[in-house]
Amino acid sequence: MIDLLLPFHYEFFVRGVIVSVLLGGICGLAGVYIILRGLSYVGHGLSHAAFGGAIVGSIAGLNYYVGAIVWSYLASFVIYEISKRNKIKPDAAIGLVTTAIFAFGVLLVSITNRYTRNFESLLFGNILAITEQDLYIIVSVTILSGAFFFFLHKRLVFSFFDNESAKISGIKTSHIELLFSFVLATIIIVSMSSIGVTLLASVIVGPAISARMLSNNFSSVIFLSIIIGSVASFCGMYASFFLDSSSGPTIVMFITLAFGITALYAVFKKIYHSHSHGGVSHSHPHLHTDEHRHEHQHKHP
């Protein structure tokens, strides 16, 4: 008989579970605002910039976190300036700037021949190698990032949803957007060594689009995205122990599974749903024909 509590006997696994739940939740929260802004590519882009910065910092003799922070923040600022001053869409600027930083880091590795397993763990994640110091950093970033989204929620939504009206109302949308980019970059940096650069975009965007399929209410989408991100990350981490698989890819598979389930739910919800009119409730399948006719099955209470 399998001991379902066996993984929790190991301190490294408990640490990994805490980290996965925290990162799944905060990435899910940030992902909602990214989807609202229409910049799904930004998480993927900034994670590549962070990886390039980590390599540059490491080769320069610095902690790779320092290099990742400096270059990610620099990338965020350059992207903002390019899209603001040259009327270039942000996604185009993200693609150019972040890929250039990533390529620069890889170029340095090829020149110096200093490729190590640390960089490999940044690419694919190694959540079980999280130290107690890493845990404290992740907890701190999660709390501070959560506070940022909580206190600036209305300004963020107003700025992203209706930028021109927000400016007229006196909100400094440019400052809000830049600050959001810095917070997102920080979340990506602390998630990088746990989830991995190549997998991080799914953890950020996946819960948000899954939640969007379940609700049209923005507050509900935020709540659902946090829950989906945390639960899927926990399940992926837990399953990886028994499957003897890498935790990062397993977490992404569970997030993808969550998306698949919510996508099916959304399809069935459109095909078959119920209404109530006065004292009569009825349900009908939607048949999308030229006449868009409904077949009604009445139920009288």
Side-chain angles (χ1 to χ4, degrees), residues 118-242:
N118 285 336
F119 295 145
E120 184 179 347
S121 67
L122 291 180
L123 279 172
F124 305 108
N126 187 10
I127 204 167
L128 295 179
I130 292 295
T131 64
E132 191 170 346
Q133 182 182 9
D134 292 329
L135 177 60
Y136 290 145
I137 292 173
I138 290 170
V139 170
S140 300
V141 169
T142 301
I143 293 173
L144 292 174
S145 299
F148 167 78
F149 287 117
F150 178 79
F151 289 110
L152 293 181
H153 168 71
K154 291 183 178 179
R155 291 176 181 269
L156 284 167
V157 173
F158 200 11
S159 298
F160 292 172
F161 186 74
D162 193 347
N163 191 273
E164 294 302 320
S165 296
K167 288 180 180 178
I168 295 172
S169 300
I171 296 177
K172 295 181 179 179
T173 58
S174 58
H175 293 174
I176 293 292
E177 292 183 7
L178 188 59
L179 188 57
F180 171 76
S181 297
F182 288 161
V183 171
L184 178 61
T186 305
I187 293 172
I188 287 171
I189 290 164
V190 299
S191 305
M192 193 167 53
S193 60
S194 305
I195 306 298
V197 168
T198 55
L199 305 172
L200 195 52
S202 297
V203 182
I204 294 174
V205 177
I209 58 177
S210 299
R212 181 64 184 84
M213 290 183 179
L214 297 176
S215 177
N216 292 321
N217 181 274
F218 191 76
S219 296
S220 297
V221 170
I222 289 178
F223 175 75
L224 288 170
S225 184
I226 294 173
I227 295 299
I228 292 171
S230 296
V231 172
S233 296
F234 172 81
C235 292
M237 185 69 196
Y238 184 71
S240 68
F241 181 87
F242 295 102

Side-chain angles (χ1 to χ4, degrees), residues 268-275 282-286 292 294:
F268 283 113
K269 186 178 180 182
K270 287 182 180 179
I271 293 176
Y272 193 89
H273 60 269
S274 300
H275 296 290
H282 66 274
S283 59
H284 58 78
H286 267 187
H292 193 72
H294 291 163

